[in-house]
Amino acid sequence: MITHHLSDKLLMAYSAGSLPEAFNLAVATHIALCDECRARLASFDAVGGAILEQAQDEAFALQDGALAATLARIKAMPPVTKPTPRHAQTGVLPEPLAGYIGGDVETIRWRNIGGGVRQAILPTSKAATARMLYIPAGVAVPDHGHNGLEMTLVLQGAFADETARFGRGDIEIADEDLDHQPIAEPGEDCICLAVTDAPLKFRAILPRLAQPFLRI
Amino acid sequence: MKARNGAEWVVLLRQIAETQDTEAFTLLFQHFAPRVKAFLMKSGADQAMAEEVAQEVMVTVWNKATQFDPARASVATWIFTIARNRRIDMLRRDRRPEPEELFWGPEEEPDQLQVLALQQESDQLIAAIADLPEKQRIMIERAYFSDLSHSEIAEETGLPLGTIKSRIRLALDRLRHSLS
């Protein structure tokens, strides 16, 4: 059961469309797993609908002939075919994450970053970075703080840090105030999606030296 | 022009989906297309781009009319999401990942009582936002129009971030309260 959810602030920013792509990916993937946040998002979208309803402004009126031009575009198009509904996915990775990776977990091309921990950086716009993290059961990720915002979504296994335990579907939202050392639980290896809008601050000197090469 | 409620827009959109009714489309266009254009211009698009994209959004409304689910959103909310996604493509050239759709089963007909309740609630939300104190309403509008982050809103208005957050929260609490 999911116990760690998205904040109102993040849901509203996702609804308004003001988040960088990497954050959108983490928000959308959490929502794919979490009915509660899906319902909360619907209420933020409804606020957007109400804002649109009141957006009319004589200063921004349509050009003459806009309706005729739009109807002409519609007539020029081939008839619409109804899309076939996709079936619910069964792998570890839900959409839209599976689409970014091009398949499920076995298609991820991991790179070792030390201590058995592996990562794969996903292609997104540069405003923020998205990476998959693979943490073997029982292994700790180096102790780190944050310059900006970090969101970590668990897709397989579980990890715990100083604040709480996070299992599949749970999302941890960390900012400047949190220094933490996530440790994967014994049992299943842990796979996460981690997004950051600024480099992490590692405590130990060695990870700090490696940081520019690993892009974390 | 006669003001329509949420349930009436649903009927018009269904006529487009079922019989490609251009009269129903004309009524929807006259109401929503100017609003989409104003929404885009208030979000930073120029006149020519907003005009072009408003027409594209209305073409998408025609094309995707069969996919609209009145048990999950009002027509205004659905058109807002189409316009928002086009705005992201247009202004930032970023992709916007969307959660996968829930699988609702084969051609399930939405429960009519649920549809009516959701459409009425959406009408109440529109009225509740219009009734907010001006400062709160403007704050919410800017979050949705301006493509600004919360911290950017704070910079522009000189207000501390905490105040912005509590204003938006207060405004949303009021909305929730007025709907309960």
Side-chain angles (χ1 to χ4, degrees):
Chain A
M1 202 189 118
I2 295 173
T3 52
H4 299 280
H5 297 277
L6 293 162
S7 61
D8 278 348
K9 185 181 161 184
L10 277 167
L11 277 169
M12 188 177 192
Y14 179 76
S15 174
S18 52
L19 290 176
E21 185 181 357
F23 285 110
N24 280 338
L25 178 62
V27 169
T29 305
H30 173 80
I31 290 167
L33 297 170
C34 178
D35 289 345
E36 188 183 319
C37 286
R38 192 187 286 268
R40 285 167 63 214
L41 174 65
S43 66
F44 283 104
D45 283 348
V47 173
I51 300 285
L52 175 69
E53 188 64 55
Q54 285 159 43
Q56 195 176 20
D57 190 328
E58 292 303 325
F60 304 142
L62 288 169
Q63 286 166 15
D64 291 341
L67 173 62
T70 304
L71 285 169
R73 281 192 195 195
I74 288 168
K75 282 213 176 66
M77 287 182 316
V80 181
T81 51
K82 204 174 172 180
T84 47
R86 285 177 305 165
H87 286 265
Q89 62 90 34
T90 51
V92 171
L93 309 179
E95 290 297 346
L97 184 55
Y100 266 74
I101 286 166
D104 206 29
V105 171
E106 65 278 358
T107 59
I108 300 174
R109 286 199 293 272
W110 297 106
R111 288 183 55 191
N112 279 311
I113 57 170
V117 178
R118 291 182 272 168
Q119 75 166 12
I121 293 181
L122 304 180
T124 62
S125 67
K126 288 195 177 4
T129 307
R131 65 169 52 76
M132 299 299 296
L133 279 176
Y134 186 101
I135 313 163
V139 166
V141 172
D143 191 6
H144 62 277
H146 308 89
N147 291 309
L149 185 64
E150 180 189 39
M151 288 162 64
T152 310
L153 173 65
V154 179
L155 295 151
Q156 176 187 297
F159 73 81
D161 65 13
E162 289 80 348
T163 64
R165 176 194 185 273
F166 298 84
R168 176 169 164 86
D170 282 330
I171 191 157
E172 181 177 46
I173 298 163
D175 60 15
E176 284 91 344
D177 300 333
L178 181 73
D179 266 15
H180 68 159
Q181 182 163 35
I183 302 173
E185 276 189 355
E188 203 172 12
D189 294 341
C190 184
I191 294 175
C192 303
L193 167 66
V195 301
T196 50
D197 62 357
L200 306 179
K201 290 182 284 193
F202 284 99
R203 291 194 167 289
I205 183 75
L206 203 66
R208 206 180 298 150
L209 286 173
Q211 232 173 315
F213 305 104
L214 302 175
R215 287 178 58 198
I216 56 179
Chain B
M1 192 166 30
K2 172 178 170 293
R4 287 187 163 73
N5 63 33
E8 290 169 312
W9 293 124
V10 169
V11 171
L12 290 171
L13 194 59
R14 188 171 297 148
Q15 285 167 0
I16 297 172
E18 288 172 0
T19 61
Q20 291 77 50
D21 184 337
T22 48
E23 267 175 53
F25 180 78
T26 298
L27 292 169
L28 270 164
F29 185 97
Q30 284 165 346
H31 182 79
F32 285 107
R35 286 169 170 77
V36 171
K37 183 173 179 183
F39 171 81
L40 292 164
M41 292 192 72
K42 289 174 178 182
S43 304
D46 65 30
Q47 165 86 10
M49 188 179 268
E51 177 79 26
E52 164 69 16
V53 175
Q55 291 187 25
E56 279 178 27
V57 166
M58 295 312 294
V59 171
T60 304
V61 167
W62 175 280
N63 281 339
K64 294 195 169 172
T66 55
Q67 294 171 40
F68 172 72
D69 180 351
R72 289 162 67 191
S74 71
V75 173
T77 297
W78 185 64
I79 294 177
F80 158 72
T81 61
I82 294 171
R84 172 200 63 201
N85 292 359
R86 275 301 287 133
R87 188 192 67 193
I88 292 171
D89 293 344
M90 170 185 86
L91 293 179
R92 297 209 262 140
R93 314 215 163 274
D94 259 6
R95 285 164 72 191
R96 178 187 167 85
E98 297 268 352
E100 69 187 334
E101 289 292 315
L102 295 177
F103 187 64
W104 296 96
E107 298 289 317
E108 194 177 295
E109 270 297 308
D111 176 340
Q112 288 311 308
L113 278 178
Q114 204 185 330
V115 169
L116 198 64
L118 187 131
Q119 297 302 329
Q120 283 174 352
E121 192 187 84
S122 301
D123 290 342
Q124 287 164 7
L125 183 67
I126 290 166
I129 287 195
D131 284 348
L132 283 175
E134 196 182 4
K135 275 187 175 171
Q136 287 181 12
R137 204 191 65 237
I138 288 173
M139 209 55 75
I140 294 183
E141 283 179 354
R142 294 182 67 182
Y144 278 84
F145 285 146
S146 319
D147 211 15
L148 290 181
S149 68
H150 293 278
S151 55
E152 286 170 321
I153 292 174
E155 279 165 27
E156 194 162 282
T157 58
L159 288 167
L161 188 62
T163 313
I164 304 285
K165 281 197 269 192
S166 65
R167 277 195 191 179
I168 289 176
R169 185 169 304 277
L170 197 66
L172 286 167
D173 284 349
R174 279 182 61 111
L175 292 178
R176 289 192 185 123
H177 183 73
S178 68
L179 292 175
S180 63

Coordinates of all heavy atoms in Angstrom, one line a residue, chain B residues 26-100:
Chain B
T26 N -19.9 24.2 -33.7 CA -19.9 25.7 -33.8 C -20.2 26.3 -32.4 O -19.5 27.3 -32.0 CB -20.9 26.2 -34.9 OG1 -20.5 25.6 -36.1 CG2 -21.0 27.7 -35.0
L27 N -21.2 25.8 -31.7 CA -21.5 26.3 -30.4 C -20.3 26.2 -29.4 O -20.0 27.1 -28.7 CB -22.7 25.6 -29.8 CG -24.0 26.0 -30.6 CD1 -25.2 25.0 -30.2 CD2 -24.4 27.4 -30.4
L28 N -19.7 25.0 -29.5 CA -18.5 24.8 -28.6 C -17.4 25.7 -29.0 O -16.7 26.3 -28.1 CB -18.0 23.3 -28.7 CG -18.6 22.3 -27.8 CD1 -18.4 20.9 -28.3 CD2 -18.0 22.4 -26.4
F29 N -17.2 25.9 -30.3 CA -16.1 26.7 -30.8 C -16.3 28.2 -30.3 O -15.4 28.8 -29.8 CB -16.0 26.7 -32.3 CG -14.9 27.4 -32.9 CD1 -13.7 26.7 -33.2 CD2 -14.9 28.8 -33.1 CE1 -12.6 27.4 -33.8 CE2 -13.9 29.5 -33.6 CZ -12.7 28.8 -34.0
Q30 N -17.5 28.7 -30.5 CA -17.8 30.1 -30.1 C -17.5 30.4 -28.6 O -17.1 31.4 -28.3 CB -19.2 30.5 -30.5 CG -19.3 30.7 -32.0 CD -20.7 30.7 -32.5 OE1 -21.7 30.3 -31.8 NE2 -20.9 31.1 -33.8
H31 N -17.8 29.3 -27.8 CA -17.6 29.5 -26.4 C -16.1 29.3 -26.0 O -15.5 30.1 -25.3 CB -18.4 28.5 -25.6 CG -18.3 28.7 -24.1 ND1 -19.0 29.7 -23.4 CD2 -17.6 28.0 -23.2 CE1 -18.7 29.6 -22.1 NE2 -17.8 28.6 -22.0
F32 N -15.5 28.2 -26.4 CA -14.2 27.8 -25.9 C -13.0 28.3 -26.7 O -12.0 28.6 -26.1 CB -14.1 26.3 -25.8 CG -14.9 25.7 -24.6 CD1 -16.1 25.0 -24.8 CD2 -14.5 25.9 -23.3 CE1 -16.8 24.5 -23.8 CE2 -15.2 25.4 -22.3 CZ -16.3 24.7 -22.5
A33 N -13.1 28.5 -28.0 CA -11.9 28.9 -28.8 C -11.4 30.3 -28.3 O -10.2 30.4 -28.1 CB -12.2 28.9 -30.3
P34 N -12.3 31.3 -28.1 CA -11.7 32.6 -27.6 C -11.1 32.4 -26.2 O -10.1 33.1 -25.9 CB -13.0 33.5 -27.4 CG -14.0 32.9 -28.2 CD -13.7 31.4 -28.2
R35 N -11.6 31.5 -25.4 CA -11.0 31.3 -24.0 C -9.7 30.6 -24.2 O -8.7 31.0 -23.4 CB -12.0 30.5 -23.2 CG -13.2 31.3 -22.7 CD -14.3 30.5 -22.1 NE -15.3 31.3 -21.5 CZ -16.2 32.0 -22.1 NH1 -16.3 31.9 -23.5 NH2 -17.1 32.7 -21.5
V36 N -9.5 29.7 -25.1 CA -8.2 29.0 -25.2 C -7.2 30.0 -25.7 O -6.1 30.1 -25.3 CB -8.4 27.8 -26.2 CG1 -7.0 27.3 -26.6 CG2 -9.2 26.7 -25.6
K37 N -7.6 30.9 -26.7 CA -6.7 31.9 -27.2 C -6.3 32.9 -26.1 O -5.1 33.1 -25.9 CB -7.3 32.7 -28.3 CG -6.4 33.7 -28.9 CD -6.9 34.4 -30.2 CE -5.8 35.4 -30.7 NZ -6.3 36.1 -31.9
A38 N -7.2 33.3 -25.3 CA -6.9 34.2 -24.2 C -6.0 33.5 -23.1 O -5.0 34.1 -22.7 CB -8.1 34.7 -23.5
F39 N -6.3 32.2 -22.9 CA -5.5 31.4 -21.9 C -4.0 31.4 -22.4 O -3.1 31.6 -21.7 CB -6.0 30.0 -21.9 CG -5.2 29.0 -21.1 CD1 -5.2 29.0 -19.7 CD2 -4.4 28.1 -21.8 CE1 -4.4 28.0 -19.1 CE2 -3.6 27.2 -21.2 CZ -3.6 27.1 -19.8
L40 N -3.8 31.1 -23.8 CA -2.5 31.0 -24.3 C -1.8 32.4 -24.3 O -0.6 32.4 -24.0 CB -2.6 30.5 -25.8 CG -3.0 29.0 -25.8 CD1 -3.4 28.7 -27.3 CD2 -1.9 28.1 -25.4
M41 N -2.5 33.5 -24.6 CA -1.8 34.8 -24.6 C -1.4 35.2 -23.2 O -0.4 35.8 -23.0 CB -2.7 35.8 -25.3 CG -2.8 35.5 -26.8 SD -3.6 36.8 -27.7 CE -2.2 38.0 -27.7
K42 N -2.3 34.8 -22.2 CA -2.0 35.1 -20.8 C -0.8 34.3 -20.3 O -0.2 34.6 -19.3 CB -3.2 35.0 -19.9 CG -4.2 36.1 -20.2 CD -5.5 35.9 -19.4 CE -6.4 37.0 -19.6 NZ -7.7 36.9 -18.9
S43 N -0.6 33.1 -21.1 CA 0.6 32.3 -20.7 C 1.8 32.7 -21.5 O 2.8 31.9 -21.5 CB 0.2 30.8 -21.1 OG -0.9 30.4 -20.4
G44 N 1.8 33.8 -22.2 CA 3.0 34.2 -22.8 C 3.1 34.0 -24.3 O 4.2 34.3 -24.9
A45 N 2.1 33.4 -25.0 CA 2.1 33.3 -26.4 C 1.8 34.6 -27.1 O 1.1 35.4 -26.6 CB 1.1 32.2 -26.9
D46 N 2.4 34.8 -28.3 CA 2.0 36.0 -29.1 C 0.7 35.8 -29.8 O 0.2 34.7 -29.9 CB 3.2 36.5 -30.0 CG 3.5 35.5 -31.1 OD1 2.6 34.8 -31.6 OD2 4.6 35.5 -31.5
Q47 N 0.2 36.9 -30.4 CA -1.1 36.9 -31.0 C -1.2 35.8 -32.1 O -2.2 35.0 -32.1 CB -1.3 38.3 -31.6 CG -2.4 38.4 -32.7 CD -3.7 38.7 -32.0 OE1 -3.8 38.9 -30.8 NE2 -4.8 38.6 -32.8
A48 N -0.2 35.7 -33.0 CA -0.3 34.8 -34.2 C -0.2 33.3 -33.7 O -1.0 32.5 -34.1 CB 0.8 35.1 -35.1
M49 N 0.7 33.1 -32.7 CA 0.8 31.7 -32.2 C -0.4 31.3 -31.5 O -0.9 30.1 -31.6 CB 2.1 31.6 -31.3 CG 2.4 30.2 -30.9 SD 3.9 30.2 -29.9 CE 5.2 30.0 -31.1
A50 N -1.0 32.2 -30.6 CA -2.2 31.8 -29.9 C -3.4 31.5 -30.8 O -4.1 30.6 -30.5 CB -2.5 33.0 -28.9
E51 N -3.5 32.3 -31.9 CA -4.6 32.1 -32.8 C -4.4 30.7 -33.5 O -5.4 29.9 -33.5 CB -4.5 33.2 -33.9 CG -5.6 33.0 -35.0 CD -7.0 33.5 -34.6 OE1 -7.1 34.3 -33.7 OE2 -7.9 33.0 -35.2
E52 N -3.2 30.4 -33.9 CA -2.9 29.1 -34.6 C -3.2 28.0 -33.6 O -3.9 27.0 -34.0 CB -1.4 29.2 -35.0 CG -0.8 27.8 -35.4 CD -1.4 27.2 -36.7 OE1 -2.1 28.0 -37.4 OE2 -1.2 26.0 -36.9
V53 N -2.7 28.1 -32.4 CA -2.8 27.0 -31.5 C -4.3 26.8 -31.0 O -4.7 25.7 -30.8 CB -1.8 27.1 -30.3 CG1 -2.0 26.0 -29.2 CG2 -0.4 27.1 -30.8
A54 N -5.0 27.9 -30.8 CA -6.4 27.8 -30.4 C -7.2 27.0 -31.5 O -8.0 26.2 -31.2 CB -7.0 29.2 -30.3
Q55 N -6.9 27.3 -32.8 CA -7.5 26.5 -33.8 C -7.1 25.0 -33.8 O -8.0 24.1 -33.9 CB -7.2 27.1 -35.2 CG -7.9 28.4 -35.4 CD -7.7 28.9 -36.9 OE1 -7.5 28.1 -37.8 NE2 -7.8 30.2 -37.0
E56 N -5.8 24.8 -33.6 CA -5.4 23.4 -33.4 C -6.1 22.6 -32.3 O -6.4 21.5 -32.4 CB -3.9 23.3 -33.2 CG -3.0 23.5 -34.4 CD -1.5 23.5 -34.0 OE1 -1.2 22.9 -33.0 OE2 -0.8 24.1 -34.7
V57 N -6.2 23.4 -31.1 CA -6.8 22.7 -30.0 C -8.3 22.4 -30.3 O -8.7 21.3 -30.0 CB -6.8 23.7 -28.7 CG1 -7.7 23.2 -27.6 CG2 -5.3 23.8 -28.2
M58 N -9.0 23.2 -31.0 CA -10.4 22.9 -31.4 C -10.5 21.8 -32.4 O -11.4 21.0 -32.4 CB -11.1 24.2 -31.9 CG -11.2 25.3 -30.8 SD -11.9 24.8 -29.2 CE -13.5 24.3 -29.6
V59 N -9.5 21.7 -33.3 CA -9.4 20.5 -34.2 C -9.2 19.2 -33.4 O -9.9 18.2 -33.6 CB -8.3 20.7 -35.2 CG1 -8.1 19.4 -36.0 CG2 -8.6 21.8 -36.2
T60 N -8.4 19.3 -32.3 CA -8.2 18.1 -31.4 C -9.5 17.8 -30.7 O -9.8 16.6 -30.5 CB -7.1 18.4 -30.4 OG1 -5.9 18.8 -31.2 CG2 -6.8 17.2 -29.6
V61 N -10.2 18.8 -30.3 CA -11.5 18.6 -29.6 C -12.4 17.8 -30.5 O -13.1 16.8 -30.1 CB -12.2 19.9 -29.2 CG1 -13.7 19.7 -28.8 CG2 -11.4 20.6 -28.1
W62 N -12.5 18.1 -31.8 CA -13.3 17.4 -32.8 C -12.8 15.9 -32.9 O -13.5 15.0 -32.8 CB -13.2 18.1 -34.2 CG -13.9 17.3 -35.3 CD1 -13.4 16.3 -36.0 CD2 -15.2 17.6 -35.8 NE1 -14.3 15.8 -36.9 CE2 -15.4 16.6 -36.8 CE3 -16.2 18.5 -35.5 CZ2 -16.6 16.6 -37.6 CZ3 -17.4 18.4 -36.3 CH2 -17.6 17.5 -37.3
N63 N -11.4 15.8 -33.1 CA -10.8 14.5 -33.3 C -11.0 13.5 -32.1 O -11.1 12.3 -32.3 CB -9.3 14.6 -33.6 CG -9.1 15.1 -35.1 OD1 -10.0 14.9 -35.9 ND2 -8.0 15.6 -35.3
K64 N -10.9 14.1 -30.9 CA -10.8 13.2 -29.7 C -12.2 13.2 -29.0 O -12.2 12.7 -27.9 CB -9.7 13.7 -28.8 CG -8.3 13.4 -29.4 CD -7.3 13.5 -28.4 CE -5.9 13.1 -28.9 NZ -4.8 13.3 -28.0
A65 N -13.2 13.7 -29.6 CA -14.5 13.8 -28.9 C -15.0 12.5 -28.4 O -15.6 12.4 -27.3 CB -15.6 14.4 -29.9
T66 N -14.7 11.4 -29.2 CA -15.1 10.0 -28.7 C -14.4 9.6 -27.5 O -14.8 8.7 -26.8 CB -14.8 9.0 -29.8 OG1 -13.5 9.0 -30.2 CG2 -15.7 9.2 -31.1
Q67 N -13.2 10.2 -27.2 CA -12.4 9.8 -26.0 C -12.8 10.5 -24.7 O -12.3 10.2 -23.7 CB -10.9 10.0 -26.3 CG -10.4 9.1 -27.4 CD -9.0 9.4 -27.8 OE1 -8.2 9.7 -26.9 NE2 -8.7 9.4 -29.1
F68 N -13.7 11.5 -24.8 CA -14.0 12.3 -23.7 C -14.9 11.5 -22.7 O -15.9 10.8 -23.2 CB -14.8 13.6 -24.1 CG -15.4 14.3 -22.9 CD1 -14.6 15.0 -22.1 CD2 -16.8 14.3 -22.7 CE1 -15.1 15.7 -21.0 CE2 -17.3 15.0 -21.7 CZ -16.5 15.7 -20.8
D69 N -14.6 11.5 -21.4 CA -15.3 10.7 -20.5 C -16.0 11.7 -19.5 O -15.3 12.2 -18.6 CB -14.4 9.7 -19.7 CG -15.1 8.9 -18.7 OD1 -16.3 9.2 -18.4 OD2 -14.5 8.0 -18.1
P70 N -17.3 11.9 -19.6 CA -18.0 12.9 -18.7 C -18.1 12.5 -17.3 O -18.5 13.3 -16.5 CB -19.4 13.0 -19.4 CG -19.6 11.7 -20.0 CD -18.2 11.2 -20.5
A71 N -17.7 11.2 -16.9 CA -17.7 10.8 -15.5 C -16.4 11.3 -14.8 O -16.3 11.2 -13.6 CB -17.9 9.3 -15.4
R72 N -15.4 11.7 -15.6 CA -14.1 12.0 -15.0 C -13.8 13.5 -15.1 O -12.9 13.9 -14.4 CB -13.0 11.2 -15.7 CG -13.1 9.7 -15.3 CD -12.3 8.8 -16.3 NE -10.9 9.1 -16.2 CZ -10.0 8.6 -17.1 NH1 -10.5 7.9 -18.1 NH2 -8.8 8.8 -17.0
A73 N -14.4 14.2 -16.0 CA -14.0 15.6 -16.2 C -15.1 16.4 -16.8 O -16.0 15.9 -17.5 CB -12.7 15.8 -17.0
S74 N -15.1 17.7 -16.6 CA -16.0 18.6 -17.4 C -15.4 18.9 -18.7 O -14.2 18.6 -18.9 CB -16.2 19.9 -16.6 OG -15.0 20.7 -16.7
V75 N -16.2 19.4 -19.7 CA -15.7 19.7 -21.0 C -14.6 20.8 -20.9 O -13.6 20.7 -21.5 CB -16.8 20.1 -22.0 CG1 -16.3 20.7 -23.3 CG2 -17.8 19.0 -22.2
A76 N -14.9 21.8 -20.0 CA -13.9 22.9 -19.8 C -12.5 22.3 -19.3 O -11.5 22.7 -19.8 CB -14.4 23.9 -18.8
T77 N -12.6 21.4 -18.3 CA -11.4 20.8 -17.8 C -10.6 20.0 -18.9 O -9.4 20.1 -19.0 CB -11.7 19.8 -16.6 OG1 -12.3 20.7 -15.6 CG2 -10.5 19.1 -16.1
W78 N -11.4 19.2 -19.7 CA -10.8 18.4 -20.8 C -10.1 19.3 -21.8 O -9.0 19.1 -22.2 CB -11.9 17.6 -21.4 CG -11.5 16.6 -22.4 CD1 -10.6 15.5 -22.3 CD2 -11.8 16.6 -23.8 NE1 -10.5 14.9 -23.5 CE2 -11.2 15.5 -24.4 CE3 -12.6 17.5 -24.6 CZ2 -11.3 15.2 -25.8 CZ3 -12.8 17.2 -26.0 CH2 -12.1 16.1 -26.5
I79 N -10.8 20.4 -22.2 CA -10.2 21.3 -23.1 C -9.0 22.0 -22.5 O -7.9 22.3 -23.2 CB -11.2 22.3 -23.7 CG1 -12.3 21.6 -24.5 CG2 -10.5 23.4 -24.5 CD1 -13.4 22.4 -25.0
F80 N -9.1 22.4 -21.2 CA -7.9 22.9 -20.5 C -6.7 22.0 -20.6 O -5.6 22.5 -20.9 CB -8.2 23.2 -19.0 CG -7.0 23.2 -18.2 CD1 -6.1 24.3 -18.2 CD2 -6.6 22.2 -17.3 CE1 -5.0 24.4 -17.4 CE2 -5.5 22.2 -16.5 CZ -4.6 23.3 -16.6
T81 N -6.9 20.7 -20.4 CA -5.7 19.8 -20.5 C -5.1 19.7 -21.9 O -3.9 19.6 -22.1 CB -6.1 18.4 -20.0 OG1 -7.1 17.8 -20.8 CG2 -6.5 18.4 -18.5
I82 N -6.0 19.8 -22.9 CA -5.5 19.8 -24.3 C -4.7 21.0 -24.6 O -3.6 21.0 -25.1 CB -6.7 19.7 -25.3 CG1 -7.4 18.3 -25.2 CG2 -6.2 19.8 -26.7 CD1 -8.7 18.2 -26.0
A83 N -5.2 22.2 -24.1 CA -4.5 23.5 -24.4 C -3.2 23.5 -23.6 O -2.2 24.0 -24.1 CB -5.5 24.6 -24.0
R84 N -3.3 23.1 -22.4 CA -2.0 23.1 -21.5 C -0.9 22.2 -22.2 O 0.2 22.6 -22.3 CB -2.4 22.5 -20.2 CG -1.1 22.3 -19.3 CD -1.4 21.3 -18.2 NE -1.7 20.0 -18.7 CZ -2.4 19.1 -18.0 NH1 -2.8 19.3 -16.8 NH2 -2.7 17.9 -18.5
N85 N -1.3 21.0 -22.7 CA -0.3 20.2 -23.3 C 0.3 20.8 -24.6 O 1.5 20.7 -24.8 CB -0.9 18.8 -23.6 CG -1.2 18.0 -22.3 OD1 -0.9 18.6 -21.2 ND2 -1.7 16.8 -22.4
R86 N -0.6 21.4 -25.4 CA -0.1 22.1 -26.6 C 0.8 23.3 -26.2 O 1.8 23.5 -26.9 CB -1.3 22.6 -27.4 CG -1.9 21.6 -28.4 CD -0.8 21.1 -29.4 NE -0.4 22.0 -30.4 CZ 0.8 22.3 -30.8 NH1 1.8 21.7 -30.2 NH2 1.1 23.2 -31.7
R87 N 0.5 24.0 -25.1 CA 1.3 25.1 -24.7 C 2.7 24.6 -24.3 O 3.7 25.2 -24.6 CB 0.7 25.8 -23.5 CG 1.4 27.1 -23.1 CD 0.9 27.6 -21.7 NE 1.3 26.7 -20.7 CZ 0.8 26.7 -19.4 NH1 -0.1 27.6 -19.1 NH2 1.3 25.8 -18.6
I88 N 2.8 23.4 -23.6 CA 4.1 22.9 -23.2 C 4.9 22.6 -24.5 O 6.1 22.9 -24.6 CB 3.9 21.7 -22.3 CG1 3.3 22.1 -21.0 CG2 5.2 21.0 -22.1 CD1 2.9 21.0 -20.1
D89 N 4.3 21.9 -25.5 CA 5.0 21.6 -26.7 C 5.5 22.9 -27.4 O 6.6 22.9 -27.9 CB 4.0 21.0 -27.8 CG 3.5 19.6 -27.3 OD1 4.1 19.0 -26.4 OD2 2.5 19.1 -27.9
M90 N 4.6 23.9 -27.4 CA 4.9 25.1 -28.1 C 6.0 26.0 -27.5 O 6.9 26.4 -28.1 CB 3.6 25.9 -28.2 CG 3.6 27.2 -28.7 SD 1.9 27.9 -28.5 CE 1.9 28.5 -26.8
L91 N 5.8 26.2 -26.2 CA 6.7 27.2 -25.5 C 8.1 26.5 -25.1 O 9.1 27.2 -25.0 CB 6.1 27.8 -24.3 CG 4.9 28.7 -24.6 CD1 4.3 29.2 -23.2 CD2 5.3 29.8 -25.4
R92 N 8.0 25.3 -24.8 CA 9.3 24.7 -24.2 C 9.9 23.6 -25.0 O 11.0 23.1 -24.8 CB 9.0 24.2 -22.8 CG 8.5 25.4 -21.9 CD 8.9 25.1 -20.5 NE 7.8 24.6 -19.7 CZ 7.9 23.7 -18.8 NH1 9.0 23.1 -18.6 NH2 6.8 23.3 -18.2
R93 N 9.1 23.1 -26.0 CA 9.6 21.9 -26.8 C 10.0 20.8 -25.9 O 10.9 20.0 -26.2 CB 10.7 22.4 -27.7 CG 10.4 23.7 -28.4 CD 10.9 23.7 -29.8 NE 10.3 24.7 -30.6 CZ 9.1 24.6 -31.3 NH1 8.5 23.4 -31.3 NH2 8.6 25.6 -31.9
D94 N 9.4 20.7 -24.7 CA 9.6 19.6 -23.8 C 8.6 18.5 -24.0 O 7.5 18.8 -24.4 CB 9.4 20.0 -22.3 CG 10.7 20.3 -21.6 OD1 11.8 20.2 -22.3 OD2 10.7 20.6 -20.4
R95 N 8.9 17.3 -23.7 CA 7.8 16.3 -23.7 C 7.1 16.4 -22.3 O 7.7 16.7 -21.3 CB 8.4 14.9 -23.8 CG 8.9 14.6 -25.2 CD 9.8 13.4 -25.2 NE 9.1 12.1 -25.0 CZ 9.7 11.0 -24.7 NH1 11.0 10.9 -24.6 NH2 9.0 9.9 -24.5
R96 N 5.8 16.0 -22.4 CA 5.1 15.9 -21.1 C 4.6 14.5 -20.9 O 3.6 14.1 -21.5 CB 3.9 16.8 -21.1 CG 3.1 16.7 -19.8 CD 1.8 17.4 -19.9 NE 0.9 17.0 -18.8 CZ 0.9 17.6 -17.6 NH1 1.8 18.5 -17.3 NH2 0.1 17.2 -16.7
P97 N 5.3 13.7 -20.1 CA 4.8 12.4 -19.8 C 3.5 12.4 -19.1 O 3.3 13.2 -18.2 CB 5.9 11.8 -18.9 CG 7.0 12.8 -18.8 CD 6.5 14.1 -19.4
E98 N 2.6 11.5 -19.5 CA 1.3 11.4 -18.9 C 1.2 10.0 -18.2 O 1.7 9.0 -18.8 CB 0.2 11.5 -19.9 CG 0.1 12.8 -20.6 CD -0.8 13.8 -19.9 OE1 -1.5 13.4 -19.0 OE2 -0.8 15.0 -20.3
P99 N 0.5 9.9 -17.1 CA 0.3 8.5 -16.5 C -0.6 7.7 -17.5 O -1.4 8.2 -18.2 CB -0.5 8.8 -15.2 CG -1.1 10.2 -15.4 CD -0.2 10.9 -16.3
E100 N -0.3 6.4 -17.4 CA -1.1 5.5 -18.3 C -2.5 5.6 -17.9 O -2.9 5.7 -16.7 CB -0.5 4.1 -18.3 CG -0.8 3.3 -17.0 CD 0.0 2.0 -17.1 OE1 0.2 1.4 -18.1 OE2 0.3 1.5 -16.0

